[in-house]
Amino acid sequence: MAGRTISPNLALDQLVQERIAAGESIVHLGFGESRLPVFGPLKERLAEGADRNAYGPVVGDPATRAAVAGYFARRRLPTDAEQVIVAPGSKPLLMALQLVAGGDTLVALPSWVTYAPQARLAGKTVLGVPIPASCGGVPDPAALRETIRAARVLGHDPKILVLTSPDNPTGTYAPDDLVRELCAIAEEEDLLIVSDEIYRDILHTPGTDLLSPAEVAPRRTVVITGLSKSLALGGWRIGAARFPAGPAGERLRADVASVASEIWSTLAGPMQAVAGYAFAEPPEVRERLAADAALHGAVAAAVHRIMVDAGATCRPPTGAFYVYPDFAPLRGPLAEQGVTDGASLQRHLLEELGVAVLSGHHFGDRPEALRFRAATSMLYGATPAEQRATQQAADPLAVPHVADALTRLEQALAKLPR
Amino acid sequence: MAGRTISPNLALDQLVQERIAAGESIVHLGFGESRLPVFGPLKERLAEGADRNAYGPVVGDPATRAAVAGYFARRRLPTDAEQVIVAPGSKPLLMALQLVAGGDTLVALPSWVTYAPQARLAGKTVLGVPIPASCGGVPDPAALRETIRAARVLGHDPKILVLTSPDNPTGTYAPDDLVRELCAIAEEEDLLIVSDEIYRDILHTPGTDLLSPAEVAPRRTVVITGLSKSLALGGWRIGAARFPAGPAGERLRADVASVASEIWSTLAGPMQAVAGYAFAEPPEVRERLAADAALHGAVAAAVHRIMVDAGATCRPPTGAFYVYPDFAPLRGPLAEQGVTDGASLQRHLLEELGVAVLSGHHFGDRPEALRFRAATSMLYGATPAEQRATQQAADPLAVPHVADALTRLEQALAKLPR
């Protein structure tokens, strides 16, 4: 099994961090991390949870799970604590689902870098389906039907449909009609829906909400969430899953708990204390979430504008902290500089222009596409002090280090051939 | 994939906790957890590490890994930080090794409940080998050779040899000669040794040490450790692995890092701060480790005495916090009460005598054997205050709640038919 590689998102971040530490000037948009400081009350809960050194239940203690259940209930998903499992991040939960659910896995292309490798680790065939023009995170319905049909002809057994909303890498989310159509296909084709909603609390327009597949197809949808994105806690590793009510959901949850008991035992006790507090969403947490979502929206919109000005087409971001431009309009001039695909575009941006992004092919997009993901949350600052200043500013775009990074980005992209 | 179950160790603990909470009087020896309070300085480090919310390197940050390298170097295993991976517990590291190393897996019988299920999750055949009379945690050498030969005849491919020292469930460790003999077999048969040394710092006799397979067969031994046992941090989930130096070891480590990046990303930042402190072993940590090891030894010896007095044969415990009695001498009288195997003995002890233990068959021992594991560390107390009193006592056996539990245990076992 030689030739395994680090997940490209994490690998690029390590590389860029090393080059920045060595003195290079790089606008780092290459890593899907919310660069914001830890919210103060979360630190207090972590310290208060320090006495929790017993293993405790595999699925998480009842109080923590009740808080997560409340979180979902406030999002039109009535939930019992017995439907919840907490874990050290959403990744292990997604992996466990791949291990216990039978059949092959359908993913949108592009989609988050880890879905496909996890499915392959579990011995599954990964069936990729292009996204529609309107948004990312979900397959185009017609293409989904066609892929399922063709896969069955080839002897595959499509059984799991992974949806992401809002999504990574495009920073958009599916409209209600599209969610309903995909759920109808899942019902017709008897698919388990894995709805990754880890960015759900980062919608850019205040007061908007999205439709979860779990509202439409409650018996066949597992919802995954976590605190890594909305509360900038990637390095704390706190995730949660909501399983369907009813016998099939209970069985699936028991199977995931079994795998959990063999792979990771439980979420660390002090982190469960944090989860119990955060998922209960007291007013100060809600305020923090809303303010940060507005920040993510403002900076993503600014980067979107820069990409379009540089000649790309790009879906306007509506959630999360990404934009996913397509430089196809510049294909001719770029080819003259040897830039002919996603990989060479990523390399050109990093080596010639000092901009780190992750090429679309890492997300399963077509290798020849001139697309990449820019993680806009990386612009908030390199130090906690810078990040705090960005977070507290009335206009984040006017904060000097943010404005400076945006200017450097704009100037770098202006050097692309037109 | 219906029929999956929770790891029996964790499942029994959940059951017993619920019954104790409901008012039952149970001497709970059924869970492999060190019931001691969190050492104060570890709590400080956790709180100080709260700002570490970035993902950071998959394998752990360099300072944390350097501390782990120093830990191994002080145990005659010179180690570079580049040979180390830290993770949320030792379980995920053991799982990743099963996923990336080819071939089938040899385990001692009995051995820790999770080795075999992990190997099966990774699609491997588990080849069990009985332990010798002298100690647990390792296969009897002659039986190991015979199992390898027979397995190959049957088309299996034994490639991974899991050793545990000191071990769970017998609370003993292999003498140097036996370790050398097993390493020689590993060399002859080209086996990868996975040496689980999570109990290494819990040796009962002060000043003794054990021989790690990594000293004898350095190029083919991965050492696994963690803070769950020696520092009673099971619920904090901190583990580490040391890979061999040299190209093969580097490749194996890269493969495990790849799996890590897809399943768990990294050890939580605040926990890395804890690991960096604890593995550096400042004087106060060394004192704590030595004092706790003496406590574990005293209580394990007392429980051993009770088991022998009740009619069992039992290896005298030398490490960890377990005893593994064999009630074969009482087989006739027990059979008259319907107790004919490990499962019925476990049930009889819990339902009739109020003593929770885990039957040997859960550890892969022969189902008909009248053996079980008693986790003696469960006697230290139900509350942090009780645990602290036990930990600070000059004679832990004289602490009222410990003495009371030992008396209840003695009286319960005295009711076994002779």
Side-chain angles (χ1 to χ4, degrees), chain B residues 344-415:
Chain B
S344 53
L345 179 58
Q346 174 182 329
R347 198 161 49 238
H348 182 82
L349 287 167
L350 181 58
E351 302 301 337
E352 306 298 326
L353 305 178
V355 176
V357 298
L358 203 58
S359 162
H361 78 276
H362 290 298
F363 302 90
D365 209 340
R366 290 186 296 115
E368 69 275 19
L370 295 168
R371 295 191 276 262
F372 58 79
R373 184 196 70 178
T376 57
S377 54
M378 297 295 285
L379 294 170
Y380 303 156
T383 64
E386 282 186 357
Q387 295 163 9
R388 197 163 287 112
T390 307
Q391 196 176 37
Q392 290 167 349
D395 177 8
L397 305 182
V399 175
H401 66 267
V402 178
D404 173 63
L406 288 169
T407 302
R408 282 160 62 210
L409 177 64
E410 192 164 14
Q411 291 171 347
L413 292 180
K415 293 182 190 150

Side-chain angles (χ1 to χ4, degrees), chain A residues 72-97:
Chain A
F72 283 116
R74 286 187 295 280
R75 283 154 184 80
R76 298 184 307 279
L77 296 171
T79 307
D80 189 276
E82 292 305 303
Q83 289 170 255
V84 171
I85 298 181
V86 294
S90 60
K91 251 182 203 183
L93 291 164
L94 287 160
M95 182 71 220
L97 281 166

